[in-house]
Amino acid sequence: QVQLQESGPGLVKSSETLSLTCTVSGGSMYSSYWSWIRQPPGRGLEWIAYMYHSGSTNYNPSLESRVTISVDTSKSQFSLKVTSVTAADTAMYYCARRSPYWYFDLWGRGTLVTVSS
Amino acid sequence: QSALTQPASVSGSPGQSITISCTGTSSDVGGYNYVSWYQQHPGQAPKFMIYEVSNRPSGVSSRFSGSKSGNTAYLTISGLQADDEADYYCSSYTSSSTLYVFGTGTKVTVL
């Protein structure tokens, strides 16, 4: 059974770079799309980015200038970097697997990232 | 690309049926059958409930059903139970540059 687990610092200073990693266990990363989604406290979900195992990527245009997603299939991990963070980037960050038919069928438990001034 | 529009809250008594709407445009909900629904209990990650408008993944109760008419998708929960109390989000592929959009979310309360 495939499982996802996010990891990374829970506190990031304003203007610095947020870095998170998602570890995929119990299955292969091949032939799947790997994604990041976030949810500010008390608010709704926002799709950030996804990438195919081969390395092709797509980003939410609202975040594209500050976001990078990457994959390391040898470690069964994919990562997210968000540069120049502000308080608006404070959120629960989820990694998820995206189906070719545009639904997220597997989610990690999420990791809360707080941006401090 | 704006979020899909959902009612902020819907409530019902145990055993009743409720329906949550999700309104988009012809560029997303109306144009493609890539609508999905997620259930989120407080403090938990979203759970995948419906895909491609009306399909249920294995393990999801048949009390949950999805449909679509024009630019609006619907999630119906029949035989409402206490554990159905949660937030529900719709989502869709969109032909806009955003590619994917979530709904604003609906809080379901079981009276």
Side-chain angles (χ1 to χ4, degrees), chain A residues 77-95:
Chain A
Q77 293 179 333
F78 61 104
S79 300
L80 176 73
K81 291 187 187 298
V82 183
T83 62
S84 305
V85 296
T86 69
D89 294 308
T90 292
M92 184 70 80
Y93 284 77
Y94 296 100
C95 60

Side-chain angles (χ1 to χ4, degrees), chain B residues 18-34:
Chain B
I18 61 169
T19 297
I20 303 167
S21 62
C22 168
T23 302
T25 69
S26 58
S27 297
D28 39 64
V29 174
Y32 305 90
N33 287 327
Y34 293 138

Side-chain angles (χ1 to χ4, degrees), chain A residues 37-41 89-94 109-113, chain B residues 43:
Chain A
I37 295 160
R38 71 181 184 180
Q39 184 173 35
D89 294 308
T90 292
M92 184 70 80
Y93 284 77
Y94 296 100
R109 292 186 174 184
T111 187
L112 179 63
V113 177

Side-chain angles (χ1 to χ4, degrees), chain B residues 72-95:
Chain B
T72 300
Y74 302 93
L75 175 71
T76 298
I77 309 174
S78 58
L80 201 61
Q81 298 178 359
D83 189 52
D84 298 333
E85 190 163 288
D87 293 326
Y88 291 83
Y89 293 91
C90 63
S91 65
S92 175
Y93 168 80
T94 169
S95 58

